[in-house]
Amino acid sequence: MTQFFDALETRSPDEREAAQMAALSVQIAHAQANSPAFAELLKGVDAAGVNSREALARLPVIRKHELLDKQKASRTAGGDAFGGFSTLLRGPAMSRVFASPGPIYEPEGASKDYWRAGRALYAAGFRAGELVHNSFSYHMTPGAFILESGAHAVGCTVFPAGTGQTEQQLDAMLALQPDGYTGTPSFLRILLEKAAESGADIRSLTKASVGGEACPPSLTAWFKEQSVDVYQTYATADLGLVAYETRARQGLVLEEGVIVEIVRPGTGDPVPEGEVGELVVTSLNPAYPLIRFGTGDLSAILSGTCPTGRTAPRIKGWMGRADQTTKIKGMFVHASQVAEIVRRFPQVQKARLVVSGEMANDRMNLLVETTDTTDGLRAQLEAAVREVTKLRGEIQVVSPGSLPNDGKVIEDARSYQ
């Protein structure tokens, strides 16, 4: 029995990059022709020329709040509920419509394993003929359907447990003896603890694919003590599966149907490999062709490839949120404003705005990595801070490479006691 879902997982990195860049040009042309939203966003872009990461990085990033704004505007005008982003029409090609908080509406195409989750479940050890207990929500949002479609792609049978009703779920587990679990790690822990308290024998459950919230190594180790191997997935309602954990447990391997960039928060500028930044994803799904979609999540690219033999790039996993908007002296300051200040000074390599002080006594200090320690640069930076943020701030020059690699552009260090 092969340990890989398909041959795509073991392609050489060069082969994968060439295939994805060729598919990117096709996807850009498809989005321009069939998605009114991207026809506008990518107006004047030569699709054939977007065949490299450098060319991709020149396109605009569309972030979740912008997607929501465009959907709302379209609905207000009596137009498309998807804001012109979906290329599907109601009918046989669109099997379901979902609503995420906002609300943001997402289409589901009728193709097999539309969300591409089969790869994650296979890597977690799920196999044909097994029964999966799915505790993701089946109400409005796509979470349960993402994992259910993946389970079907592997050849599994699914029990649609949904959320809540712990005792009834345990009764079902006791009767059906599932092989695997899909859902949040916190609810899996509740089920296992409740089973131990009640004496319910659910030892048939030996594997799990979890998502929707963080699963730290300590919790993974606890599950292992309960004889359940737990693997994480990173997926969104907009994109489907983006990355998944393997038995190597060294980061998350990127899914074959997405192109991932890590950009400096507040910008669309890719950061060097290993630096923490915002996860920006281009989906190669023709039904919902999101180009440079900013997830708002922080992560970083790991060097090398997975020891399991999967050759796709890997990310560290979820490392926090990229939206660091902070209110200072009654004014909102955004990561994009810090990026605008840095952009004006080529000699500044990186910056971090630290807000300190106590209630009603905010202080702003802009830490900049540069070798230029002249008073002239400090004065120019102070003026730029006032112009861009409308607030006064002090400048502190630090040596290149000294700022933490955590993706933070704005750090709120105020005391709220």
Side-chain angles (χ1 to χ4, degrees), residues 133-137 159 161-163 169 173 181-184 187 191:
H133 186 98
N134 188 8
S135 285
F136 277 116
S137 174
F159 177 71
T163 58
Q169 294 215 26
M173 285 183 160
Y181 165 95
T182 52
T184 63
F187 190 62
L191 288 170

Side-chain angles (χ1 to χ4, degrees), residues 234 262-265 276-279 295-300 315-324 406-409:
Y234 174 67
I262 305 293
V263 307
R264 188 154 286 116
V276 178
E278 182 184 7
L279 196 75
T295 63
D297 292 326
L298 293 173
S299 194
I315 57 173
K316 286 187 176 180
W318 187 81
M319 301 177 69
R321 291 293 292 169
D323 183 6
Q324 299 157 25
D406 57 8
K408 282 189 178 180
V409 175

Side-chain angles (χ1 to χ4, degrees), residues 299-322:
S299 194
I301 295 290
L302 293 173
S303 61
T305 57
C306 182
T308 63
R310 294 170 175 86
T311 55
R314 297 171 298 158
I315 57 173
K316 286 187 176 180
W318 187 81
M319 301 177 69
R321 291 293 292 169

Side-chain angles (χ1 to χ4, degrees), residues 277-292:
E278 182 184 7
L279 196 75
V280 170
V281 182
T282 294
S283 170
L284 298 177
N285 174 10
Y288 200 42
L290 293 177
I291 311 297
R292 297 205 88 198

Side-chain angles (χ1 to χ4, degrees), residues 107-356:
E108 180 186 50
S111 60
K112 181 181 178 181
D113 197 16
Y114 172 83
W115 307 95
R116 309 176 314 279
R119 197 177 305 283
L121 291 178
Y122 199 89
F126 290 69
R127 293 295 183 268
E130 295 180 334
L131 177 64
V132 178
H133 186 98
N134 188 8
S135 285
F136 277 116
S137 174
Y138 278 86
H139 180 64
M140 290 195 180
T141 57
F145 295 91
I146 292 175
L147 273 298
E148 181 173 298
S149 68
H152 289 161
V154 171
C156 296
T157 300
V158 175
F159 177 71
T163 58
Q165 299 180 311
T166 306
E167 291 183 0
Q168 290 93 324
Q169 294 215 26
L170 275 178
D171 287 344
M173 285 183 160
L174 193 58
L176 297 173
Q177 294 291 295
D179 302 277
Y181 165 95
T182 52
T184 63
S186 59
F187 190 62
L188 176 58
R189 179 162 191 162
I190 290 172
L191 288 170
L192 291 172
E193 289 177 337
K194 192 72 173 179
E197 291 174 8
S198 63
D201 184 357
I202 58 170
R203 285 176 293 177
S204 65
L205 191 71
T206 59
K207 69 197 77 170
S209 179
V210 300
E213 58 191 30
C215 185
S218 58
L219 184 54
T220 300
W222 184 87
F223 286 129
K224 184 66 176 177
E225 291 172 0
Q226 318 310 311
S227 301
V228 181
D229 286 326
V230 170
Y231 298 89
Q232 297 183 71
T233 59
Y234 174 67
T236 78
D238 317 277
L239 298 159
L241 182 70
V242 175
Y244 59 96
E245 192 173 24
T246 72
R247 294 181 183 275
R249 300 196 185 279
Q250 295 183 18
L252 306 183
V253 176
L254 295 182
E255 214 286 314
E256 299 291 332
V258 296
I259 299 170
V260 167
E261 304 166 272
I262 305 293
V263 307
R264 188 154 286 116
T267 78
D269 304 329
V271 300
E273 183 180 284
E275 185 172 327
V276 178
E278 182 184 7
L279 196 75
V280 170
V281 182
T282 294
S283 170
L284 298 177
N285 174 10
Y288 200 42
L290 293 177
I291 311 297
R292 297 205 88 198
F293 182 73
T295 63
D297 292 326
L298 293 173
S299 194
I301 295 290
L302 293 173
S303 61
T305 57
C306 182
T308 63
R310 294 170 175 86
T311 55
R314 297 171 298 158
I315 57 173
K316 286 187 176 180
W318 187 81
M319 301 177 69
R321 291 293 292 169
D323 183 6
Q324 299 157 25
T325 299
T326 305
K327 183 176 278 189
I328 306 169
K329 295 184 178 179
M331 300 280 288
F332 282 108
V333 177
H334 306 272
S336 58
Q337 292 174 296
V338 178
E340 170 60 26
I341 295 167
V342 173
R343 196 174 289 117
R344 298 183 181 188
F345 301 92
Q347 62 269 56
V348 174
Q349 300 173 18
K350 192 176 177 182
R352 184 185 187 100
L353 187 68
V354 179
V355 189
S356 59

Side-chain angles (χ1 to χ4, degrees), residues 358-387:
E358 300 174 352
M359 290 292 290
N361 186 29
D362 299 336
R363 293 192 299 274
M364 239 171 42
N365 194 7
L366 184 67
L367 281 62
V368 295
E369 288 188 1
T370 180
T371 56
D372 185 343
T373 60
T374 62
D375 291 338
L377 176 61
R378 291 174 189 269
Q380 292 174 35
L381 282 164
E382 286 179 357
V385 169
R386 286 196 302 271
E387 180 185 342

